[in-house]
Amino acid sequence: MPSILDFELFIVILSSVLLIVGAKLWQDGNHLVKNGKTATAVVFRNNFKTYLEGGSGLYYPVVRFLTDKQEWITEELSVGYNPKKREGAKLRVIYDPENPTEVEIHSILQLRILPLLFIVAGVAGMGLSSLEYLGITDIVK
């Protein structure tokens, strides 16, 4: 039977992971927003990756675009989707001109809002576990 301490430790670990992932996504997105170039990409294919035994997973679009230096880049995006993106669909992407394989969909949701949600959830979890540890709140009974 799990104890309250196990639950608090789980929340601290989960919150830490959310904070780290959120900070990394924020840093990467900020770098692309400040230094990136935009391009129109075409979804070349979708790579399906399973994460659960039941076959659940996400489709990771592989996009192809032309850089400002007239180089063709074909790269899998780091964020998966379900349902998959339609092959041949055009997407606006942002890439790092120093490393054009670092590419993301040019979206305020992906570059700013999603990382911020991870950070907020991590901070909230840390706060909740701190209040629980200090005995200020009694969420786990």
Side-chain angles (χ1 to χ4, degrees):
M1 179 171 184
S3 70
I4 292 175
L5 186 58
D6 292 337
F7 177 75
E8 289 172 359
L9 183 60
F10 171 75
I11 295 297
V12 168
I13 291 170
L14 178 63
S15 300
S16 298
V17 168
L18 289 171
L19 281 170
I20 291 167
V21 169
K24 176 69 172 140
L25 290 174
W26 182 267
Q27 181 181 15
D28 292 348
N30 195 42
H31 174 76
L32 283 175
V33 168
K34 285 184 177 180
N35 304 305
K37 303 267 185 172
T38 59
T40 300
V42 175
V43 177
F44 184 66
R45 71 174 174 270
N46 289 279
N47 293 334
F48 184 74
K49 295 182 181 177
T50 58
Y51 295 104
L52 301 173
E53 287 184 31
S56 297
L58 297 172
Y59 294 92
Y60 289 79
V62 177
V63 298
R64 181 174 283 169
F65 64 97
L66 189 62
T67 69
D68 62 338
K69 295 178 182 173
Q70 303 304 303
E71 298 174 283
W72 281 103
I73 304 293
T74 303
E75 190 66 30
E76 181 181 276
L77 299 179
S78 63
V79 175
Y81 299 89
N82 196 357
K84 64 183 174 182
K85 299 285 186 188
R86 184 180 54 80
E87 290 181 13
K90 292 183 179 182
L91 302 172
R92 185 177 160 114
V93 295
I94 187 168
Y95 67 93
D96 183 348
E98 299 290 320
N99 179 13
T101 59
E102 186 180 321
V103 60
E104 296 294 342
I105 292 178
H106 193 268
S107 156
I108 191 75
L109 175 68
Q110 189 166 324
L111 297 173
R112 294 291 190 210
I113 296 173
L114 187 62
L116 191 57
L117 288 175
F118 274 82
I119 292 169
V120 167
V123 169
M126 287 292 193
L128 178 66
S129 61
S130 297
L131 291 174
E132 186 75 27
Y133 178 76
L134 295 172
I136 296 170
T137 185
D138 191 20
I139 295 173
V140 181
K141 297 184 184 198

